Amino acid sequence: DAKSARKTEWRNANIRGVGRIFLNDVEGWIERKLEKDHNYKKSKSLHFLFKPCYACAFNDAKNVAEPSSNNDGGSVSTNPDNYVTFAEFRVLAVNICAYALALDSMREIDSGRGHGSNRADGKLSRKEWLAGYGRVLNHGFAAFSKLSECSESKDALSVAGEMFDSMDLNNNGF
């Protein structure tokens, strides 16, 4: 079941057995997982390609757990530092997957070359977004459901433009 699989992966990530993992532990865990499923060159390439996601997912997960109390009844944060506990590990794993999918989607739009491309320039313009958003509509993002429901292409382009504008806070692409 999912909980036992999560416990197994937690042990694989928490190789020091101290009950908390740091960002370098997460990166090592992901690298080892990739090496199990792919040859050396492919695993290194995938690890590098999605590395920007690991820190974002880690930072969002590390403060999820509720504070615990100490012996005198006072509140002590379970996570004042830069680590993830088992209670936060599920959020970390989900975030890694979601951020990797988002990054892959944005790169697909940016590069126009499909999944896993690292040939994007790293900045998405409004023109690129409007030309390429259709390639990622089926990637499972709830935000795209409104675009998928648009029957006329003019409506879809208008909604896609509004969506881009809401993400492009500095009006200079992202």
Side-chain angles (χ1 to χ4, degrees):
D1 77 327
K3 189 170 186 176
S4 64
R6 194 165 52 252
K7 284 181 179 179
T8 298
E9 291 308 321
W10 170 254
R11 285 190 298 273
N12 291 335
N14 184 26
I15 56 174
R16 289 173 286 134
V18 294
R20 59 186 182 266
I21 56 175
F22 297 90
L23 181 56
N24 62 332
D25 298 322
V26 172
E27 290 183 3
W29 166 62
I30 293 169
E31 196 166 6
R32 290 187 300 277
K33 291 289 292 177
L34 289 170
E35 287 172 356
K36 278 185 170 181
D37 295 336
H38 304 282
N39 66 45
Y40 180 81
K41 185 176 179 180
K42 179 73 170 179
S43 68
K44 294 296 181 195
S45 174
L46 287 169
H47 187 265
F48 177 76
L49 188 64
F50 293 103
K51 191 170 182 167
C53 302
Y54 311 149
C56 294
F58 179 85
N59 287 331
D60 285 349
K62 69 182 179 180
N63 294 313
V64 169
E66 291 291 322
S68 63
S69 5
N70 62 18
N71 291 338
D72 63 7
S75 179
V76 175
S77 173
T78 58
N79 196 7
D81 295 313
N82 288 321
Y83 57 82
V84 168
T85 63
F86 180 72
E88 298 160 323
F89 187 66
R90 181 179 186 175
V91 174
L92 173 67
V94 168
N95 283 351
I96 289 169
C97 294
Y99 294 160
L101 180 59
L103 180 61
D104 190 50
S105 297
M106 294 304 123
R107 282 185 174 152
E108 185 171 346
I109 293 170
D110 188 22
S111 70
R113 290 188 165 95
H115 299 293
S117 175
N118 201 19
R119 298 180 194 262
D121 65 10
K123 189 169 187 173
L124 197 59
S125 70
R126 192 173 207 276
K127 181 179 177 182
E128 289 169 320
W129 173 260
L130 292 175
Y133 76 87
R135 290 194 298 270
V136 298
L137 287 179
N138 65 347
H139 285 203
F141 292 105
F144 291 146
S145 64
K146 190 173 181 182
L147 283 170
S148 297
E149 294 168 4
C150 292
S151 57
E152 297 178 28
S153 62
K154 186 177 179 184
D155 289 342
L157 280 176
S158 175
V159 171
E162 291 170 11
M163 184 181 285
F164 181 85
D165 294 342
S166 71
M167 294 182 285
D168 185 21
L169 300 177
N170 65 0
N171 295 323
N172 195 25
F174 64 94

